[in-house]
Coordinates of all heavy atoms in Angstrom, one line a residue:
E902 N 51.5 71.6 103.9 CA 52.6 72.4 104.3 C 52.6 72.9 105.8 O 53.3 73.8 106.2 CB 52.7 73.7 103.4 CG 53.1 73.3 102.0 CD 54.5 72.8 101.8 OE1 55.4 73.4 102.5 OE2 54.7 71.9 101.0
S907 N 55.8 77.3 112.1 CA 55.1 78.4 111.6 C 53.7 78.0 111.2 O 52.8 78.8 111.1 CB 55.8 79.0 110.4 OG 55.6 78.3 109.2
G908 N 53.5 76.7 111.0 CA 52.2 76.2 110.6 C 51.8 76.6 109.2 O 50.6 76.6 108.9
S909 N 52.7 76.9 108.4 CA 52.4 77.2 107.0 C 53.6 77.0 106.1 O 54.7 76.8 106.5 CB 51.9 78.7 106.9 OG 53.0 79.6 106.9
H910 N 53.3 77.2 104.8 CA 54.3 77.1 103.7 C 55.3 78.3 103.8 O 56.3 78.2 103.2 CB 53.6 77.2 102.4 CG 52.9 78.5 102.1 ND1 51.7 78.9 102.7 CD2 53.3 79.6 101.4 CE1 51.4 80.1 102.3 NE2 52.3 80.6 101.6
K911 N 55.0 79.3 104.6 CA 55.8 80.5 104.5 C 57.3 80.3 104.9 O 58.2 81.0 104.5 CB 55.2 81.6 105.4 CG 53.9 82.0 104.9 CD 53.6 83.5 105.2 CE 52.3 84.0 104.4 NZ 51.1 83.3 104.9
A936 N 48.3 87.5 109.5 CA 47.8 86.5 110.4 C 48.8 86.0 111.4 O 48.5 85.5 112.4 CB 47.3 85.4 109.6
G937 N 50.1 86.3 111.1 CA 51.1 85.9 112.0 C 52.0 84.7 111.5 O 53.1 84.5 112.1
Q938 N 51.6 84.0 110.5 CA 52.3 82.9 110.0 C 53.7 83.4 109.4 O 54.7 82.7 109.6 CB 51.6 82.1 108.9 CG 50.4 81.3 109.4 CD 49.1 82.0 109.3 OE1 49.0 83.2 109.7 NE2 48.1 81.4 108.8
W939 N 53.6 84.4 108.6 CA 54.9 84.9 108.0 C 55.9 85.4 109.1 O 57.1 85.0 109.1 CB 54.6 86.0 107.0 CG 55.9 86.7 106.5 CD1 56.2 88.0 106.7 CD2 57.0 86.1 105.8 NE1 57.5 88.2 106.2 CE2 58.0 87.1 105.6 CE3 57.2 84.8 105.3 CZ2 59.2 86.9 105.0 CZ3 58.5 84.6 104.7 CH2 59.4 85.6 104.5
R969 N 50.5 84.2 119.1 CA 51.4 84.3 117.9 C 52.6 85.1 118.4 O 53.7 84.8 118.0 CB 50.7 85.1 116.8 CG 49.9 84.2 115.9 CD 50.9 83.5 114.9 NE 50.2 82.5 114.1 CZ 50.7 81.4 113.6 NH1 52.0 81.2 113.7 NH2 50.0 80.6 112.9
L1005 N 47.6 94.8 106.0 CA 48.9 94.3 105.5 C 49.7 95.5 104.9 O 50.8 95.7 105.1 CB 48.8 93.2 104.5 CG 48.9 91.8 105.1 CD1 48.8 90.8 104.0 CD2 50.1 91.6 105.9
G1027 N 56.8 88.3 102.7 CA 56.5 86.9 102.6 C 55.6 86.4 101.5 O 55.3 85.2 101.4
S1028 N 55.2 87.3 100.6 CA 54.4 86.9 99.5 C 54.5 87.9 98.3 O 55.4 88.7 98.3 CB 52.9 86.9 100.0 OG 52.1 86.4 98.9
V1029 N 53.7 87.8 97.3 CA 53.6 88.7 96.2 C 54.8 88.8 95.3 O 54.6 88.7 94.1 CB 53.2 90.2 96.7 CG1 53.0 91.1 95.5 CG2 52.0 90.2 97.6
V1033 N 59.6 85.3 96.1 CA 58.9 84.4 97.0 C 58.2 83.3 96.2 O 58.3 82.1 96.7 CB 57.9 85.2 97.8 CG1 57.2 84.3 98.8 CG2 58.5 86.4 98.5
L1034 N 57.7 83.6 95.1 CA 57.1 82.5 94.2 C 58.2 81.5 93.8 O 57.9 80.3 93.8 CB 56.4 83.1 93.0 CG 54.9 83.4 93.2 CD1 54.7 84.6 94.1 CD2 54.2 83.5 91.9
Q1037 N 58.9 79.3 96.7 CA 57.7 78.4 97.0 C 57.5 77.3 95.9 O 56.7 76.4 96.1 CB 56.4 79.2 97.2 CG 56.4 80.1 98.4 CD 56.5 79.4 99.7 OE1 56.4 78.2 99.8 NE2 56.6 80.2 100.8
I1040 N 57.2 73.5 96.6 CA 55.9 72.8 96.9 C 55.4 72.1 95.7 O 55.1 70.9 95.7 CB 54.8 73.8 97.3 CG1 55.2 74.7 98.5 CG2 53.5 73.1 97.6 CD1 54.2 75.8 98.8
C1061 N 44.6 78.5 97.5 CA 44.1 79.8 98.0 C 45.1 80.9 97.6 O 46.2 80.7 97.4 CB 43.9 79.8 99.5 SG 45.4 79.5 100.5
A1062 N 44.5 82.1 97.4 CA 45.3 83.2 97.0 C 45.2 84.4 97.9 O 44.1 85.0 98.0 CB 44.9 83.6 95.5
G1063 N 46.3 84.8 98.5 CA 46.3 86.0 99.3 C 47.2 87.0 98.5 O 46.7 87.9 97.8
G1064 N 48.5 86.8 98.6 CA 49.4 87.5 97.7 C 49.9 86.6 96.5 O 50.5 87.1 95.6
G1065 N 49.5 85.3 96.6 CA 49.8 84.4 95.5 C 51.0 83.5 95.6 O 51.3 82.8 94.7
S1066 N 51.7 83.5 96.8 CA 52.9 82.8 96.8 C 52.7 81.3 96.9 O 53.4 80.5 96.2 CB 53.8 83.2 98.0 OG 53.4 82.8 99.2
N1067 N 51.8 80.8 97.7 CA 51.7 79.3 97.8 C 51.1 78.8 96.5 O 51.5 77.8 95.9 CB 50.8 78.9 99.0 CG 49.3 78.9 98.7 OD1 48.8 77.9 98.2 ND2 48.6 79.9 99.1
L1068 N 50.1 79.6 95.9 CA 49.5 79.2 94.7 C 50.5 79.2 93.6 O 50.7 78.2 92.8 CB 48.3 80.1 94.4 CG 47.6 79.8 93.1 CD1 46.8 78.5 93.2 CD2 46.6 80.9 92.7
G1069 N 51.3 80.3 93.5 CA 52.3 80.4 92.5 C 53.4 79.2 92.6 O 53.8 78.7 91.6
G1135 N 43.3 86.2 107.9 CA 44.2 87.3 107.9 C 45.2 87.2 106.8 O 45.6 88.3 106.2
G1136 N 45.7 86.0 106.5 CA 46.7 85.9 105.4 C 46.2 86.1 104.0 O 47.0 86.1 103.1
L1137 N 44.9 86.3 103.9 CA 44.4 86.6 102.5 C 43.9 88.0 102.4 O 43.3 88.4 101.4 CB 43.2 85.6 102.2 CG 43.5 84.1 102.3 CD1 42.3 83.3 101.8 CD2 44.7 83.7 101.4
R1138 N 44.2 88.8 103.4 CA 43.7 90.2 103.4 C 44.7 91.2 102.8 O 45.2 92.1 103.4 CB 43.4 90.7 104.8 CG 42.3 90.0 105.5 CD 42.1 90.6 107.0 NE 41.6 91.9 107.0 CZ 41.9 92.8 107.9 NH1 42.8 92.6 108.8 NH2 41.4 94.0 107.9
M1142 N 48.0 91.4 94.3 CA 48.2 90.0 93.9 C 49.5 89.9 93.2 O 49.9 90.8 92.5 CB 47.1 89.5 93.0 CG 47.1 88.1 92.6 SD 47.1 86.9 93.9 CE 45.6 87.2 94.8
L1146 N 51.2 85.9 88.8 CA 49.8 85.3 88.7 C 48.8 86.2 88.0 O 48.0 85.8 87.3 CB 49.3 84.9 90.1 CG 50.1 83.8 90.8 CD1 49.4 83.4 92.1 CD2 50.4 82.6 89.9
P1180 N 42.5 72.8 109.7 CA 43.1 73.6 108.6 C 43.1 75.1 109.0 O 42.2 75.6 109.7 CB 42.3 73.4 107.4 CG 40.9 73.1 108.0 CD 41.1 72.4 109.3
A1181 N 44.1 75.9 108.5 CA 44.1 77.3 108.6 C 42.9 77.9 107.8 O 42.5 77.3 106.8 CB 45.4 77.9 108.1
P1182 N 42.3 79.0 108.3 CA 41.2 79.6 107.5 C 41.6 79.9 106.1 O 40.9 79.7 105.1 CB 40.9 80.9 108.3 CG 41.4 80.6 109.7 CD 42.6 79.7 109.6
E1183 N 42.9 80.3 105.9 CA 43.4 80.6 104.5 C 43.3 79.4 103.7 O 42.7 79.4 102.6 CB 44.8 81.1 104.6 CG 45.0 82.5 105.2 CD 45.2 82.4 106.7 OE1 45.1 81.3 107.3 OE2 45.5 83.4 107.4
S1184 N 43.9 78.3 104.2 CA 43.9 77.0 103.5 C 42.5 76.5 103.2 O 42.3 75.8 102.2 CB 44.6 76.0 104.3 OG 45.7 76.5 105.0
S1185 N 41.6 76.8 104.1 CA 40.2 76.3 103.9 C 39.5 76.9 102.7 O 38.6 76.3 102.2 CB 39.4 76.6 105.2 OG 40.1 76.1 106.3
G1210 N 46.3 72.7 97.6 CA 47.4 73.1 98.5 C 46.7 73.3 99.9 O 45.9 74.2 100.1
L1211 N 47.1 72.5 100.9 CA 46.7 72.7 102.3 C 47.9 73.4 102.9 O 48.8 72.8 103.4 CB 46.4 71.4 103.0 CG 45.8 71.6 104.3 CD1 44.4 72.1 104.2 CD2 45.8 70.3 105.2
T1212 N 47.8 74.7 102.9 CA 49.0 75.6 103.2 C 49.3 75.6 104.7 O 50.5 75.9 105.1 CB 48.8 77.0 102.8 OG1 47.5 77.4 103.2 CG2 48.8 77.1 101.3
G1213 N 48.4 75.3 105.6 CA 48.8 75.3 107.0 C 47.7 74.9 108.0 O 46.6 74.6 107.6
T1214 N 48.0 75.0 109.2 CA 47.1 74.6 110.3 C 46.5 75.8 111.0 O 47.1 76.9 110.9 CB 47.9 73.8 111.4 OG1 49.1 74.4 111.7 CG2 48.2 72.4 110.8
G1215 N 45.4 75.6 111.7 CA 44.7 76.8 112.2 C 44.6 76.9 113.7 O 43.7 77.4 114.3
D1218 N 43.8 80.1 115.2 CA 42.6 80.8 114.7 C 41.4 80.3 115.4 O 40.3 80.3 114.8 CB 42.5 80.4 113.2 CG 43.8 80.9 112.4 OD1 43.8 82.2 112.2 OD2 44.6 80.1 112.1
Ligands
PLP154 C1 50.0 83.6 104.2 C2 49.2 82.4 104.0 C3 48.4 82.2 102.9 C4 48.3 83.2 101.8 O1 49.5 83.7 101.3 P1 49.9 83.4 99.8 O2 51.1 84.3 99.6 O3 48.8 83.8 98.9 O4 50.2 82.0 99.7 C5 47.7 81.0 102.7 N1 47.7 80.1 103.7 C6 48.4 80.2 104.9 C7 48.4 79.1 105.9 C8 49.2 81.3 105.0 O5 49.9 81.5 106.2

Side-chain angles (χ1 to χ4, degrees):
E902 291 291 320
S907 77
S909 81
H910 64 285
K911 294 212 171 65
Q938 287 94 312
W939 170 244
R969 273 279 173 205
L1005 268 185
S1028 185
V1029 185
V1033 183
L1034 269 73
Q1037 294 298 354
I1040 305 173
C1061 63
S1066 75
N1067 87 83
L1068 181 66
L1137 305 182
R1138 291 178 74 214
M1142 184 55 64
L1146 295 187
E1183 293 88 352
S1184 322
S1185 304
L1211 189 71
T1212 49
T1214 47
D1218 299 286

